[in-house]
């Protein structure tokens, strides 16, 4: 029978990056160092074998703790975006995280046990920060059935996302280069859709939206929850949404580029206009009451 590989082994084989391999080597060296110390203490009698036998076994690290440890190991460079190898490495640990690990019981109960589930006016989305430091942040978001996050951006941030519950549609836009402004429409600019996918739990996908405008929408089959790891090129205090947008079909200003874009290209183009924070959806931050992350 083939032996099951650990996320470290999978990341080393699939990612293949030097950074991931070096991380694995450091972890193995640490294990060998600890083993050598324990062996030396046992040989010279400095270790207290009686205490070791009587002490209860330490609890296994939680999936969230292992995820945070993995992020600490590979997200150390704040001047460059994370590599594909580092993202693959972290995804291996995200795949182990389940709904109960992030303490979604209250949110799920709220939206499932009320007859108005998914029909609040305005609808409510909730989120909680599980862990935050200067190089990354781990958070979980919960969306009622059919509810969409406002279209927004947070530049210079890479997002790795895993859908925990339900289904979700992900959309992301990038500005057309060179910039195209719609005459007489205020701040509307032409953007191309770069992500347009529907995912169903459980799934883990790296969504690179460093300078993209994006949104997540819960499916019509029920609420959805997803776990996000944010890796910024700046401090966590600047990770807040820098702007909100409203999108319009390309035909909103059909006279622009009418002789240059094909029908297929027009289907990928939208006008985005910067707006104030939307009032048609409310967002509430909840406390994380799960096992503390160290």
């Amino acid at each position: 029978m083939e032996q099951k590989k650990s996320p470290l082994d999978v990341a080393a084989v699939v990612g293949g990056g030097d950074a991931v391999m070096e991380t694995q080597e450091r972890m193995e060296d640490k294990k060998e160092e600890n083993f050598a110390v324990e062996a030396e203490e046992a040989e010279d009698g400095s270790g207290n074998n009686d205490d070791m036998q009587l002490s209860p076994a330490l609890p296994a690290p939680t999936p969230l703790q292992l995820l945070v440890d993995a992020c600490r190991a590979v997200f150390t460079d704040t001047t460059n975006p994370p590599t594909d190898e580092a993202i693959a490495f972290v995804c291996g640990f995200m795949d182990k995280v389940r709904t109960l690990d992030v303490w979604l019981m209250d949110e799920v109960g709220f939206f499932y046990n009320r007859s108005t589930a998914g029909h609040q006016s305005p609808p409510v989305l909730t989120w909680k920060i599980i862990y935050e430091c200067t190089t990354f942040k781990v958070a979980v978001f919960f969306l009622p059935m059919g509810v969409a996050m406002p279209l927004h951006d947070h530049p210079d941030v890479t997002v790795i996302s895993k859908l925990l519950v339900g289904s979700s549609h992900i959309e992301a836009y990038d500005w057309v280069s060179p910039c195209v402004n719609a005459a007489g429409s205020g701040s509307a600019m032409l953007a191309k859709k770069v992500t347009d996918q529907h995912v169903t739990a459980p799934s883990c996908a790296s969504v690179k939206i460093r300078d993209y405008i994006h949104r997540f929408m819960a499916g019509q089959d029920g609420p959805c929850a997803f776990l996000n790891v944010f890796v910024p090129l700046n401090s966590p205090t600047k990770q807040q949404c820098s702007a909100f947008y409203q999108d319009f079909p390309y035909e909103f200003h059909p006279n622009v580029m009418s002789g240059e874009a094909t029908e297929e290209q027009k289907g990928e183009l939208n006008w985005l206009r910067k707006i104030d924070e939307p009032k048609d959806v409310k967002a509430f931050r909840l406390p994380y009451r799960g096992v503390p992350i160290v």
Side-chain angles (χ1 to χ4, degrees):
M1 182 180 294
E2 182 180 357
Q3 185 177 4
K4 187 176 180 181
K5 295 181 178 180
S6 69
L8 277 170
D9 298 327
V10 173
V13 174
V14 177
D18 292 339
V20 173
M21 294 297 292
E22 290 175 2
T23 298
Q24 185 176 13
E25 291 172 0
R26 289 197 301 270
M27 290 183 175
E28 294 298 332
D29 290 343
K30 187 66 175 177
K31 290 180 182 178
E32 293 178 2
E33 179 183 340
N34 291 339
F35 178 79
V37 171
E38 291 171 2
E40 182 179 349
E41 290 178 349
E43 184 176 350
D44 63 14
S46 59
N48 191 329
N49 292 330
D50 293 337
D51 290 343
M52 292 176 63
Q53 293 175 358
L54 295 175
S55 298
L58 293 175
T62 66
L64 281 176
Q65 182 67 63
L66 292 174
L67 172 61
V68 169
D69 290 342
C71 291
R72 286 176 180 147
V74 295
F75 298 145
T76 58
D77 182 4
T78 59
T79 60
N80 293 294
T83 64
D84 291 340
E85 291 79 16
I87 290 174
F89 179 76
V90 169
C91 276
F93 290 90
M94 292 184 76
D95 279 337
K96 305 298 182 182
V97 179
R98 298 293 181 260
T99 307
L100 293 179
D101 297 321
V102 298
W103 288 71
L104 270 179
M105 290 79 75
D106 292 341
E107 295 93 314
V108 173
F110 178 85
F111 288 105
Y112 269 122
N113 296 335
R114 286 166 171 75
S115 59
T116 57
H119 300 287
Q120 297 90 349
S121 182
V124 176
L125 66 89
T126 57
W127 59 285
K128 64 179 77 172
I129 295 178
I130 295 173
Y131 181 83
E132 184 175 23
C133 64
T134 57
T135 55
F136 65 91
K137 176 170 66 176
V138 179
V140 63
F141 294 80
F142 187 91
L143 296 175
M145 180 177 64
V147 172
M149 277 186 172
L151 194 61
H152 65 281
D153 67 358
H154 35 74
D156 297 324
V157 175
T158 297
V159 178
I160 310 170
S161 183
K162 175 188 176 175
L163 188 65
L164 295 168
V165 175
S167 64
S168 177
H169 195 83
I170 306 171
E171 292 181 331
Y173 294 93
D174 195 11
W175 300 116
V176 169
S177 181
C179 296
V180 178
N181 291 85
S185 64
S187 59
M189 294 175 57
L190 197 60
K192 181 179 180 180
K193 188 173 289 187
V194 294
T195 300
D196 189 3
Q197 64 180 120
H198 192 81
V199 293
T200 303
S203 65
C204 183
S206 62
V207 184
K208 297 182 180 179
I209 51 177
R210 285 186 286 272
D211 294 307
Y212 293 165
I213 300 95
H214 58 282
R215 64 180 159 214
F216 293 77
M217 176 184 290
Q220 296 299 327
D221 54 346
C224 77
F226 47 94
L227 179 69
N228 277 357
V229 174
F230 298 88
V231 188
L233 293 182
N234 45 37
S235 66
T237 57
K238 298 181 180 179
Q239 286 184 32
Q240 303 299 324
C241 304
S242 62
F244 294 94
Y245 298 86
Q246 185 175 3
D247 56 333
F248 303 92
Y250 176 83
E251 290 73 17
F252 189 74
H253 291 284
N255 59 315
V256 180
M257 295 179 60
S258 58
E260 302 176 18
T262 65
E263 290 302 318
E264 182 178 357
Q265 290 172 332
K266 291 176 183 178
E268 299 176 345
L269 298 173
N270 283 69
W271 298 99
L272 303 185
R273 184 170 63 197
K274 191 177 295 187
I275 60 174
D276 296 330
E277 184 172 356
K279 304 298 183 184
D280 56 351
V281 62
K282 289 184 177 181
F284 289 101
R285 177 176 174 177
L286 301 177
Y288 170 64
R289 297 190 178 94
V291 179
I293 304 297
V294 296

